[in-house]
Amino acid sequence: MIRSFYWTPDEEGKEQIGILDFKEMTEVESSILWVDLFNPTDEEFYILTHDFRFHPLSIEDVLSEETRPKVDEYEHYLFVIFQTVGQPGGEDELAVNDIGIFLTRNAVVTVHSHQIDILDSLFRKFLHDDRILARGTSFLFHAVLDYLVDSYDKPLAYIERETDRIEDDVFENPQPEIVKRIFNLRRDTLDFKRILAPLKEVVYQMTTGKLALISDKAEVYFSDIYDHLSRMTDDADSNKDILNSALEVYFSTVSERTNYIIKFLTIFTALLLPPTFITGLYGMNFSRMPLLEWKYGFLFTCAVIILVVVSLLLFFKKKKWI
């Protein structure tokens, strides 16, 4: 599907669906054009080379699903590969999808093979507010990147909430399934951090003043995006450290609980050993044994057993073993 938003200083912007004469539209002085291609057909892909004259290498990068985020400057346009992030928390790895963004003198072209709801919001915004468009394509380009980066806040907020829950559960109710939760969330956190690193490099290049199509006035706004990515990277690092600590605390808690159980069983066995020995001794089939025919022999034996057990308990207590 292909849709476009066309604006000129003399008329309000309007959204249109389908293939139009984009080459003629971009030739109008001071016009601003945004073309969005979602899962485009071969015919729709053709406009990238015919109407906009984009280099085949750029088209190849758009078609590839394994392209690393980057920024390439060509003679008459700027090409950027950016990424969107899915919702974390599942059994599978964090879903990551590419979006290709082209910036020309008076047009922005976005190409993606998956639905990006955040772009729909931006289209609706431009229908009622054209102030960004009036400032030029650099600011339209910035708005697209800014909305994409803002969309990372939702998965990051989910990671932070789950990290807090895991941190509480480790201390209050450390169950075996928490290990799986920690590993899944830590995997998502590391994936998220790996996504942010190259995106920071891409945005940083837009703040250096070396890209001709990025206006001087727009550079400071790209610096704001860079700061946003830096903050999210720091948050991801913090969550990773908390999860690592939570895992250590869990194993420490499990080890402590195991040691307590072993300690309890050891003390219990030690307390049973004297009564077992005494009763076993008098259980032998001999006719002549001390106290065997004494009328208080049974009571005396019970008293000895109780005395030995109590003595052991007092000894363990003194040693602070119980």
Side-chain angles (χ1 to χ4, degrees):
M1 186 188 84
I2 183 170
R3 60 179 175 174
S4 58
F5 193 93
Y6 185 64
W7 177 90
T8 64
D10 300 327
E11 59 182 80
E12 292 184 355
K14 56 183 178 180
E15 181 180 355
Q16 302 178 81
I17 305 296
I19 298 177
L20 305 173
D21 191 349
F22 298 120
K23 183 177 181 181
E24 180 180 344
M25 295 166 73
T26 56
E27 290 175 352
V28 177
E29 188 67 25
S30 300
S31 64
I32 300 293
L33 173 66
W34 178 14
V35 179
D36 181 58
L37 290 86
F38 166 46
N39 200 18
T41 63
D42 292 340
E43 182 183 6
E44 291 170 341
F45 254 122
Y46 178 69
I47 70 168
L48 298 179
T49 55
H50 180 265
D51 290 23
F52 295 101
R53 297 183 294 112
F54 294 147
H55 197 280
L57 288 177
S58 300
I59 308 301
E60 182 180 338
D61 286 337
V62 168
L63 292 172
S64 174
E65 296 181 355
E66 301 294 333
T67 305
R68 176 183 170 86
K70 65 174 184 175
V71 53
D72 291 333
E73 187 174 25
Y74 290 84
E75 182 179 355
H76 69 284
Y77 71 93
L78 192 68
F79 173 61
V80 171
I81 289 289
F82 225 67
Q83 290 181 324
T84 61
V85 182
Q87 184 69 9
E91 295 291 333
D92 300 326
E93 294 183 358
L94 192 64
V96 180
N97 296 292
D98 294 340
I99 174 173
I101 309 173
F102 299 86
L103 170 65
T104 70
R105 181 179 59 85
N106 58 350
V108 171
V109 180
T110 51
V111 186
H112 49 100
S113 59
H114 58 287
Q115 180 65 31
I116 304 179
D117 295 334
I118 203 73
L119 296 183
D120 298 335
S121 302
L122 197 54
F123 260 91
R124 290 193 296 269
K125 177 180 179 179
F126 289 155
L127 288 173
H128 305 94
D129 186 357
D130 62 356
R131 287 176 297 177
I132 292 178
L133 300 173
R135 302 180 73 178
T137 51
S138 290
F139 287 89
L140 170 58
F141 181 64
H142 165 269
V144 173
L145 294 186
D146 191 37
Y147 267 59
L148 290 174
V149 172
D150 285 345
S151 69
Y152 299 165
D153 287 333
K154 186 176 180 179
L156 181 59
Y158 173 86
I159 290 174
E160 290 177 344
R161 287 196 306 271
E162 286 301 305
T163 300
D164 291 339
R165 289 175 184 172
I166 287 175
E167 192 175 18
D168 293 337
D169 291 344
V170 161
F171 289 101
E172 297 174 3
N173 187 28
Q175 298 298 321
E177 61 268 16
I178 202 171
V179 176
K180 185 177 182 180
R181 289 171 56 197
I182 290 175
F183 274 104
N184 286 340
L185 194 60
R186 189 170 66 170
R187 179 203 62 207
D188 289 341
T189 303
L190 291 174
D191 288 345
F192 190 75
K193 184 181 175 183
R194 280 194 291 267
I195 293 167
L196 294 178
L199 295 182
K200 285 179 60 180
E201 296 177 10
V202 168
V203 175
Y204 175 75
Q205 293 185 54
M206 300 172 191
T207 66
T208 59
K210 297 179 180 179
L211 301 177
L213 288 172
I214 303 295
S215 66
D216 295 338
K217 293 182 179 180
E219 284 179 12
V220 65
Y221 292 92
F222 286 101
S223 296
D224 182 67
I225 296 179
Y226 181 82
D227 291 340
H228 192 178
L229 289 170
S230 297
R231 288 195 301 271
M232 286 191 287
T233 301
D234 293 340
D235 290 341
D237 283 332
S238 177
N239 289 323
K240 184 193 69 172
D241 293 339
I242 292 174
L243 290 171
N244 288 337
S245 299
L247 191 62
E248 292 176 1
V249 169
Y250 171 78
F251 285 129
S252 177
T253 303
V254 170
S255 177
E256 183 179 353
R257 181 181 296 178
T258 302
N259 291 338
Y260 176 80
I261 294 173
I262 293 174
K263 177 182 176 181
F264 173 80
L265 293 176
T266 302
I267 292 175
F268 185 74
T269 303
L271 293 176
L272 286 180
L273 187 59
T276 302
F277 172 76
I278 294 173
T279 54
L281 182 65
Y282 277 90
M284 294 186 295
N285 295 321
F286 291 104
S287 58
R288 295 182 180 275
M289 294 184 68
L291 309 177
L292 191 62
E293 296 180 357
W294 186 31
K295 64 177 181 178
Y296 299 112
F298 174 74
L299 295 177
F300 179 78
T301 303
C302 290
V304 170
I305 291 175
I306 293 173
L307 180 63
V308 171
V309 171
V310 171
S311 299
L312 285 174
L313 285 172
L314 292 175
F315 176 76
F316 293 155
K317 187 73 173 178
K318 183 179 180 180
K319 292 291 185 179
K320 297 182 179 180
W321 294 347
I322 57 175

